[in-house]
C-alpha cells in the first residue's frame, strides 16, 4: 500500500505541475538563461574574445564529447534553458491535448507571431509561421502570381537545392523560362554584384530573382540590399532565402530591401526543430496566392498563404524562449563571436598546402560558415573521403557540399558552444590531411 500511495502522490504532484504549466502557457515572461553574465561591451574584437563570457555561454549547451562538431549549419541545437522549456511545453500539450488546441492554441500562436515580428522588425500582419524556411520559400516561389508565359526567372548556383527545384518547377507551373548562372569564385562583394548585373542585363525578360542571404554551400554573405535595388530598377521582384542568416548575422528584415523573405527559427535562433516563418511586405500580399486556395483565413490575411495542417504545438510555444536567449546574448555579440571563430581557423589554415578557402576575408562577406576544398579534389568521392578522415581519424565533424560551379567542397560551421580549443583540434587535423604537417 505504501508504494501505491507514493506513486499516487507523485502522480498528483506531476499532474498539478502540468495543470499549472497549462494555466501559465505564454503568460509568463519568456525564459532566458539565469546566471549568464551581461554581454561584454566595446569593440567587436573585444566582445568576440571575452573568454569568461563565452565560456559561460558554452555552458548553456549540453553536447556530445565524442566529436568536435563543426557541422552546425544543419540546425542549431537548443540551449539547455530552451530545451527545458520545450519539454515543459510538450508535457503541457500531452496533458491538455485537444482541449488546449481547441481553446487556447490560436491565441498563443498569435503571441508567438507578434514576438517574432517584433524581433525581426516587421508588423505581425507581415509574418506567417511555417515549419521552416524551405516550406516558407516554396510557398513564396510557388505562390508568386506575377509571372506570365515568356517571362524569365533567375537564380544562381549558390542558392539552396530545394529552392532551385521550386524555381525550376515554375517552367511547368507558370510557363516561364528558368535561367541559372554561376557566382564567380573566389567570390568578392564587387564580383558578385557584377555577376548579378550581367545576368539581369543578359535576361531582359526576368521578372523574378531568387537570392540567398548566406549561402549554405560556402557561407558567402550576399549584398542583398544592393542586388534587390538593382533588380527593382528593372521591374524584377526578389524572393530572399534568409534560412541561414537571421541569428548568424545581425540585421532586420527592412535591411534586405526585399518584399518576400523566408526564415528559419531552428538554425541560428536555436528554437526546436520544425519552425520558421515567411515575410511578405504588407502592400505586396496580393502577389502571393493563397496556399491551395485556403479558406481558413481571409484572402487579405497572410496566414492564408500557409496551410500546414497540425503542427507541433510545443515547438511553436518554445520560440519565445529561444528568442529571449538570442536577445539576451545579443545579435551583434553573436555575430562578432561567430566571425571570430571563423577567422580563428581560417587564418591558421589559409597557408596550408593545396587548400582553397572559398569564402573571402572581406568584411561583411562572411559569418560563421566557410567552406574549403583541396586542389584537384572536386568530386563527391574526394570530399566524402576527407570528411570521413576528419571524422573517423580526428573526431571532427564537417560536411560535404555540392552544387558549387568549380567543384564540391567541405563546409565548416562553428556554433556558440565552439571554443578555440575545438578549432585548434580541427586545424591540427587539417594540417595532417593536407600534408602540411606529418602525423
Amino acid at each position: 500500500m505504501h508504494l501505491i500511495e507514493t506513486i499516487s502522490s507523485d502522480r498528483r504532484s506531476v499532474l498539478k505541475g502540468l495543470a499549472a504549466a497549462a494555466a501559465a502557457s505564454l503568460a509568463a515572461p519568456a525564459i532566458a538563461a539565469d546566471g549568464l553574465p551581461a554581454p561584454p561591451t566595446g569593440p567587436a574584437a573585444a566582445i568576440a574574445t571575452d573568454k569568461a563570457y563565452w565560456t559561460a555561454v558554452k555552458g548553456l549547451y549540453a553536447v556530445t564529447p565524442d566529436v568536435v562538431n563543426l557541422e552546425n549549419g544543419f540546425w542549431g541545437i537548443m540551449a539547455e534553458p530552451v530545451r527545458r522549456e520545450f519539454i515543459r511545453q510538450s508535457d503541457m500539450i500531452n496533458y491538455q491535448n485537444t482541449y488546449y488546441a481547441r481553446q487556447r492554441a490560436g491565441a498563443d500562436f498569435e503571441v508567438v507571431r507578434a514576438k517574432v515580428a517584433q524581433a525581426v522588425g516587421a508588423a505581425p500582419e507581415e509574418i506567417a509561421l511555417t515549419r521552416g524556411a524551405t516550406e516558407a520559400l516554396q510557398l513564396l516561389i510557388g505562390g508568386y502570381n506575377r509571372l506570365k508565359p515568356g517571362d524569365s526567372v533567375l537564380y544562381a548556383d549558390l542558392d539552396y537545392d530545394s529552392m532551385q527545384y521550386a524555381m525550376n518547377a515554375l517552367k511547368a507551373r507558370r510557363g516561364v523560362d528558368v535561367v541559372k548562372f554561376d557566382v564567380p569564385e573566389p567570390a568578392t562583394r564587387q564580383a558578385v554584384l557584377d555577376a548579378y548585373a550581367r545576368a539581369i542585363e543578359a535576361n531582359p525578360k526576368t521578372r523574378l530573382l531568387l537570392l540567398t542571404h548566406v549561402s549554405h554551400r560556402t557561407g558567402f554573405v550576399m549584398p542583398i540590399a544592393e542586388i534587390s535595388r538593382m533588380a527593382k530598377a528593372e521591374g524584377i521582384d526578389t524572393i530572399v532565402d534568409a534560412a541561414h542568416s537571421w541569428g548568424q548575422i545581425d540585421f532586420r528584415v527592412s535591411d534586405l530591401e526585399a518584399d518576400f523573405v523566408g526564415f528559419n527559427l531552428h538554425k541560428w535562433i536555436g528554437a526546436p526543430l520544425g519552425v520558421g516563418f515567411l515575410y511578405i511586405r504588407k502592400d505586396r500580399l496580393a502577389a502571393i496566392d493563397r496556399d491551395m486556395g485556403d479558406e481558413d483565413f481571409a484572402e487579405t490575411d497572410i496566414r492564408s498563404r500557409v496551410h500546414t495542417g497540425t503542427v507541433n504545438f510545443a515547438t511553436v510555444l518554445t520560440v519565445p524562449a529561444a528568442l529571449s536567449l538570442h536577445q539576451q546574448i545579443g545579435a551583434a555579440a553573436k555575430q562578432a563571436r561567430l566571425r571570430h571563430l571563423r577567422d580563428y581557423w581560417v587564418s591558421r589554415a589559409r597557408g596550408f598546402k593545396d587548400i582553397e578557402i572559398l569564402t573571402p576575408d572581406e568584411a561583411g562577406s562572411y559569418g560563421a560558415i566557410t567552406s574549403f576544398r583541396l586542389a584537384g579534389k572536386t568530386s563527391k568521392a574526394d570530399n566524402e573521403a576527407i570528411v570521413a578522415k576528419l571524422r573517423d581519424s580526428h573526431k571532427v565533424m564537417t560536411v560535404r557540399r555540392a552544387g558549387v560551379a568549380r567543384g564540391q567542397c567541405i563546409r565548416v560551421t562553428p556554433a556558440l558552444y565552439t571554443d578555440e580549443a575545438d578549432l585548434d583540434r580541427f586545424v591540427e587535423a587539417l594540417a595532417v590531411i593536407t600534408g602540411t604537417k606529418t602525423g
Side-chain angles (χ1 to χ4, degrees), residues 280-321:
I280 303 173
R281 203 180 75 192
K282 63 180 67 177
D283 60 346
R284 296 303 314 279
L285 184 61
I288 306 297
D289 287 332
R290 291 179 294 169
D291 185 17
M292 301 298 290
D294 176 85
E295 296 181 15
D296 286 352
F297 296 98
E299 191 168 2
T300 54
D301 191 320
I302 191 174
R303 291 171 295 177
S304 68
R305 273 58 179 180
V306 182
H307 194 123
T308 299
T310 306
V311 300
N312 187 328
F313 296 97
T315 293
V316 176
L317 295 177
T318 305
V319 167

Side-chain angles (χ1 to χ4, degrees), residues 268-284:
W268 297 95
I269 298 297
L273 272 172
V275 64
F277 64 100
L278 59 79
Y279 163 86
I280 303 173
R281 203 180 75 192
K282 63 180 67 177
D283 60 346
R284 296 303 314 279

Side-chain angles (χ1 to χ4, degrees), residues 72-78 130-135 243-244 246 263-277 315 319 322:
N72 295 287
F74 200 161
W75 76 84
I77 69 165
M78 290 177 279
T130 66
R131 290 173 295 183
T134 294
E135 181 177 62
H244 260 293
W246 196 48
F263 291 86
N264 261 322
L265 289 163
H266 59 229
K267 286 188 184 290
W268 297 95
I269 298 297
L273 272 172
V275 64
F277 64 100
T315 293
V319 167

